Amino acid sequence: LERFHARQLRVSPHVLGHSKAHVGRVVAELVRAAKAQGLQPGPLALSLRGDFVRIGSAYEQHKVRSPDCFDILVPLRLPPHLEPQPRRADEPGPCGAFLCGLRARDGWTRRCRPFIEGFCVELQGRSHLSSGLVLRWFQGHLQRCLGAVRYRLQERCRVSLSACPGQPPTLHILPCSDYVCCHISMAVRLIPAIPLGDALYLTALPPAGPPGSLGPEALWGLNASRHEQRLLGWLKEQAPAASCHLKCLQILKGLRDLRGHGLEEPFCSQWGRVLSSYLLKTALFSLLLQGPLEAWDERFLVERLEDLVLYLRDCLRRQVLMDFFLGNSGIPEAVALPRFLKEAAPVNLLSAFDGPTLDLVAFQLISTWIQAPHIIRMYSSPRYLRPAPGP
């Protein structure tokens, strides 16, 4: 496991630092250009706020393999007459996620007809901000502004923008020779985000269901990445200097990816969706706060990793793993949470999957742990380590 982590999973801090700095400069240029070239329409239209928020494993110190993929939230500025409406668990919509609508206040739709027609859909007789229409506007706006960025950055790198329907656009950065020491081409997912305050954001849900179904399009998911980063920072301060909790997460993600090479569809896709990186991180948070942090010293790596696998196995068998931040009263007081998170209804991250699928994932998870040395040897050839082609 140690060799597997050192040779295949660990990312060089030097290379990662260069990549993050380069991504930050390019995204800052693009966001600045997109804000400057906006329509400047006043308070009743959509525009960029002018900043961006770095999220994801590359900024949380548990990135694996290569620093070539990054996630960036790009906050938007909305008219002031949209109010968040969290959905109850018994209302229609995707399972296993916090759902929230952005509903137009009474009387506002008549006064602001152009915005309603351009960015809203009807749900239960009321106008709601459409994630699909916002995403389409966001993609087009960035594409129009790319020319200015490409011209200014042509000596540093080549940049391009690609988008799949229903997905956030991806900024591709290819550094020019002798500029970035690692010479790694980078893909940056730019995610339009609606600020809720207190470092909380609403982001579009992944596409699900038949095309044209308005329910999911009128709903948004919650992103609390900044609070996850604060919790990880607090854990780093409290845990031993040689704590292995992030290494455990990296190794488990690596084993998940290797085991996926030997699975056939449709279970291979289900395996990756159930054991998503967010679910693995949630399980780690829950397990970390159950016992003394001194037990996560580096010399107990195998024991703690086995604990994490068994904890996940039990969650899958019970079909319950609650989101760590929503309605959780057990979070340390030192990690201050906004009232919105404290009062939110708890969400079971596994409720979107049926029992037989979760049982099969639990069985394969234990099998993967037992056969870990064999799986590492079998799927560690360059043929399996080559990244999958992008869309």
Side-chain angles (χ1 to χ4, degrees), residues 87 102-104 109-110 113 116-117 119-130 133 212-219:
R87 310 286 286 181
L102 283 165
R103 191 177 68 183
T109 55
R110 292 188 297 273
R113 181 60 55 185
I116 296 297
E117 292 177 350
F119 296 107
C120 294
V121 294
E122 292 291 323
L123 180 64
Q124 298 177 350
R126 298 289 297 271
S127 294
H128 287 70
L129 188 68
S130 163
L133 294 176
S213 57
L214 295 183
E217 188 178 351
L219 298 174

Side-chain angles (χ1 to χ4, degrees), residues 1-255:
L1 291 175
E2 289 279 8
R3 286 197 302 272
F4 173 53
H5 178 266
R7 295 178 180 178
Q8 298 184 30
L9 301 180
R10 182 180 177 273
V11 177
S12 163
H14 176 77
V15 174
L16 181 59
H18 271 270
S19 299
K20 289 195 295 188
H22 194 52
V23 166
R25 282 192 290 268
V26 174
V27 172
E29 290 274 3
L30 180 58
V31 170
R32 191 180 304 118
K35 185 186 180 186
Q37 295 185 18
L39 300 178
Q40 304 296 337
L44 297 180
L46 208 56
S47 61
L48 269 65
R49 198 170 69 178
D51 60 334
F52 58 93
V53 181
R54 302 166 176 87
I55 65 170
S57 59
Y59 301 100
E60 296 173 358
Q61 312 306 316
H62 54 86
K63 181 75 174 168
V64 295
R65 293 202 167 90
S66 176
D68 53 356
C69 297
F70 299 85
D71 285 341
I72 301 287
L73 293 182
V74 182
L76 306 181
R77 179 174 282 117
L78 294 178
H81 304 288
L82 293 168
E83 53 187 2
Q85 293 287 326
R87 310 286 286 181
R88 298 192 306 270
D90 56 351
E91 291 184 292
C95 299
F98 176 91
L99 303 177
C100 184
L102 283 165
R103 191 177 68 183
R105 291 194 174 101
D106 294 331
W108 185 63
T109 55
R110 292 188 297 273
R111 298 196 303 270
C112 305
R113 181 60 55 185
F115 183 86
I116 296 297
E117 292 177 350
F119 296 107
C120 294
V121 294
E122 292 291 323
L123 180 64
Q124 298 177 350
R126 298 289 297 271
S127 294
H128 287 70
L129 188 68
S130 163
S131 59
L133 294 176
V134 169
L135 192 58
R136 196 176 309 159
W137 170 86
F138 181 73
Q139 292 170 350
H141 189 53
L142 290 186
Q143 193 70 55
R144 289 189 295 271
C145 300
L146 190 61
V149 175
R150 186 181 287 120
Y151 175 76
R152 286 200 291 264
L153 299 175
Q154 58 185 353
E155 294 183 0
R156 297 181 185 176
C157 59
R158 294 195 296 271
V159 294
S160 61
L161 198 68
S162 66
C164 291
Q167 299 285 354
T170 299
L171 181 69
H172 300 277
I173 304 172
L174 183 61
C176 295
S177 177
D178 299 328
Y179 180 71
V180 177
C181 66
C182 52
H183 294 174
I184 294 176
S185 59
M186 291 159 278
V188 186
R189 194 167 58 143
L190 301 173
I191 306 169
I194 309 299
L196 285 182
D198 294 318
L200 291 175
Y201 299 90
L202 293 179
T203 57
L205 296 167
S213 57
L214 295 183
E217 188 178 351
L219 298 174
W220 298 72
L222 184 68
N223 187 292
S225 295
R226 294 293 295 156
H227 297 280
E228 296 170 23
Q229 292 172 4
R230 290 171 184 172
L231 177 62
L232 284 168
W234 179 83
L235 289 169
K236 183 178 180 180
E237 294 176 355
Q238 303 299 316
S243 177
C244 64
H245 61 283
L246 292 181
K247 185 182 287 189
C248 286
L249 181 58
Q250 290 175 309
I251 292 175
L252 191 53
K253 289 198 292 186
L255 290 175

